[in-house]
Amino acid sequence: MRIIAGSARGRTFDAPPGMDTRPTLDRVRENVFNILQMKVRGAQVLDLFSGSGAMAFEAVSRGAEHAVLVDCAKSAHAVEQRNAEKLRMAAQTTLLHCDWQLAVKQLASQQRSFNLVFLDPPYAMHDMVPVLDAIRPLLAPGAVILLEHEAKTFPATPDGYALYDSRKYGVAGVSFFRLRDTGEVE
């Protein structure tokens, strides 16, 4: 795997071993970041279910100010630590080895706020209502939430979020959301 654009363009990074993690493919990342390009520079990024950290590291390479990566898998966390060093992004990233609920509580207690949120849960997780409800207090005005999901199955989402774009790339689907009351939907 490699960083597609920005300050770390062309640098390679690793994915956790085994089949438990599904790193976002280069072409999907490239298309997603083409859509998000004006939202990344200076952003505070939250990457829940981060796996290899591909999305967060790509965002930092493209000018995001800081990214918080959260994964409960020990192998994913270890790979993210190595990738942060390898990509020279340790200072711009915070790595949390815990489940998403604990991470959200911890970030809320720190009054953290995010402009860009990446959600790439296991494809078997079809109900995103608890996750999206939980992260609501962490969202900066106008924040964009990118949800990666199985293309053939659209996860359940709570009221109050506006879907403003959705794409399919083979078995992967990506859907872009904002809170309904935070401004324009593009």
Side-chain angles (χ1 to χ4, degrees):
M1 297 180 61
R2 66 183 173 85
I3 298 293
I4 297 162
S7 63
R9 180 181 183 184
R11 288 192 203 145
T12 60
F13 60 96
D14 302 318
M19 300 301 290
D20 293 337
T21 304
R22 216 185 44 260
T24 303
L25 299 174
D26 288 1
R27 72 181 178 96
V28 175
R29 265 187 298 122
E30 183 171 18
N31 288 321
V32 162
F33 279 95
N34 285 340
I35 294 166
L36 294 173
Q37 63 184 322
M38 303 309 286
K39 308 291 182 209
V40 178
R41 184 157 299 285
Q44 293 290 321
V45 176
L46 174 60
D47 190 352
L48 284 182
F49 315 100
S50 53
S52 67
M55 296 299 284
F57 293 130
E58 187 74 40
V60 170
S61 179
R62 292 173 183 246
E65 186 175 320
H66 193 84
V68 175
L69 293 77
V70 178
D71 206 293
C72 64
K74 187 176 183 177
S75 61
H77 182 70
V79 166
E80 289 173 348
Q81 287 177 312
R82 286 193 308 270
N83 286 339
E85 293 299 325
K86 186 177 184 178
L87 296 169
R88 296 182 218 129
M89 295 183 185
Q92 295 113 327
T93 57
T94 301
L95 310 177
L96 300 178
H97 179 216
C98 59
D99 67 28
W100 69 266
Q101 296 102 326
L102 182 60
V104 169
K105 286 178 187 172
Q106 181 180 337
L107 295 167
S109 73
Q110 297 168 1
Q111 299 183 330
R112 296 291 302 268
S113 179
F114 299 94
N115 315 95
L116 189 54
V117 177
F118 298 120
L119 301 174
D120 187 6
Y123 279 173
M125 191 173 176
H126 298 292
D127 184 3
M128 292 304 293
V129 172
V131 177
L132 288 166
D133 279 344
I135 67 168
R136 196 179 303 245
L138 301 177
L139 301 176
V144 173
I145 300 97
L146 173 79
L147 173 60
E148 187 171 337
H149 53 87
E150 194 173 23
K152 67 180 181 178
T153 307
F154 194 84
T157 57
D159 291 337
Y161 283 89
L163 172 68
Y164 73 89
D165 199 349
S166 191
R167 312 279 174 106
K168 292 181 181 181
Y169 304 98
V171 297
V174 292
S175 298
F176 299 81
F177 294 89
R178 288 184 195 228
L179 285 174
R180 286 195 193 280
D181 58 350
T182 59
E184 295 179 27
V185 174
E186 296 175 5

